Amino acid sequence: MTTSSQFWTPARLTGLLLFLVTVTHMAGFQIASSFVVSGDFAATGIRMTQSEGLYRLALLSYGVSSILSVGLAVSFALWIAPISRLGAGLVLGWRLFEAISSTIAWAIRFALVDNQTQPNLLGASGAEALHRLLRDSANAAFDLGAIGLALATLIGFFFLFQMRALPRLLSAIAMLGALLILVSSVMALGWPETNIPSSIAFAVTLLSNLVIGLWLLVRGDNSSPAKVVAQQA
């Protein structure tokens, strides 16, 4: 076995991809959010027009996050597989569902930019109505993706918590953040008029993902399920 294959275990690959997915998602979200003027369609459009390239770059960062999520789904499933094949299959399925939903949301957001910055045959009122439709569709796709993310995280880190493949505190924090995301996303889909403080849930998850990703990059060789099982035998 080569040195590179020994180093890049499924755990370390999961750590690297988890870190990159989190960073690209956070960058895209922070930049895109800075353009939004709450309740003011015209002002949001002006901001987008003034820095359209930067806004599209933010959406591209979202797209990179979605693409990397596919690799993360595979590496996470491979990491879980020695513990539970069923768990690995569920993690893979829900992570891929998240990646597909996030990609749809990202594509809709690109259409939203054109609606905000280009002349619209529907007129000002029609453009604003289309904006609301596109925004709501993108948010729904994002919430569906968040549900997939939450379920994959709950399932995967439950098995890791049981096997002590990670420090149990890290697994517990990851599961807590996933549970908060699951509740807030279901509420946002079913009762969109309800003001849910989902930012707290995502902050917990994103920060824990950064910590776990870095921990796995450094200690990934000690997080192999086969090694953990051997140590507990």
Side-chain angles (χ1 to χ4, degrees), residues 130-145:
L130 182 58
H131 166 81
R132 287 195 297 269
L133 176 62
L134 292 172
R135 180 199 60 198
D136 292 345
S137 299
N139 288 342
F142 179 79
D143 286 328
L144 287 172

Side-chain angles (χ1 to χ4, degrees), residues 91-176:
V91 166
L92 178 62
W94 283 116
R95 271 288 184 177
L96 290 177
F97 176 80
E98 176 224 347
I100 293 170
S101 298
S102 298
T103 301
I104 293 172
W106 165 63
I108 295 173
R109 288 285 182 181
F110 264 111
L112 190 148
V113 177
D114 291 333
N115 181 60
Q116 289 271 180
T117 59
Q118 303 299 322
N120 196 309
L121 296 177
L122 300 175
S125 59
E128 186 168 356
L130 182 58
H131 166 81
R132 287 195 297 269
L133 176 62
L134 292 172
R135 180 199 60 198
D136 292 345
S137 299
N139 288 342
F142 179 79
D143 286 328
L144 287 172
I147 290 173
L149 165 65
L151 291 174
T153 302
L154 282 171
I155 294 167
F157 282 94
F158 171 76
F159 286 108
L160 296 174
F161 181 89
Q162 281 192 320
M163 295 298 298
R164 297 179 182 270
L166 278 175
R168 280 191 161 180
L169 178 60
L170 292 181
S171 295
I173 293 174
M175 288 190 289
L176 173 62

Side-chain angles (χ1 to χ4, degrees), residues 7-18:
F7 182 84
W8 288 113
T9 60
R12 276 208 169 100
L13 280 172
T14 299
L16 175 64
L17 290 169
L18 189 62

Side-chain angles (χ1 to χ4, degrees), residues 191-230:
W191 299 271
E193 70 282 355
T194 306
N195 186 18
I196 303 295
S198 58
S199 57
I200 297 175
F202 280 97
V204 171
T205 297
L206 293 175
L207 289 175
S208 67
N209 283 350
L210 288 175
V211 173
I212 292 171
L214 290 173
W215 192 93
L216 287 173
L217 279 172
V218 175
R219 300 291 301 277
D221 56 328
N222 295 326
S223 299
S224 166
K227 181 178 287 190
V228 172
V229 170

Side-chain angles (χ1 to χ4, degrees), residues 60-72:
L60 183 60
S61 183
Y62 268 131
V64 171
S65 177
S66 298
I67 294 170
L68 291 175
S69 291
V70 176
L72 177 58

Side-chain angles (χ1 to χ4, degrees), residues 38-64:
S38 181
D40 195 330
F41 171 79
T44 300
I46 291 173
R47 284 191 177 185
M48 288 183 179
T49 302
Q50 290 174 339
S51 302
E52 185 176 344
L54 181 59
Y55 191 83
R56 289 185 182 275
L57 182 62
L59 296 182
L60 183 60
S61 183
Y62 268 131
V64 171

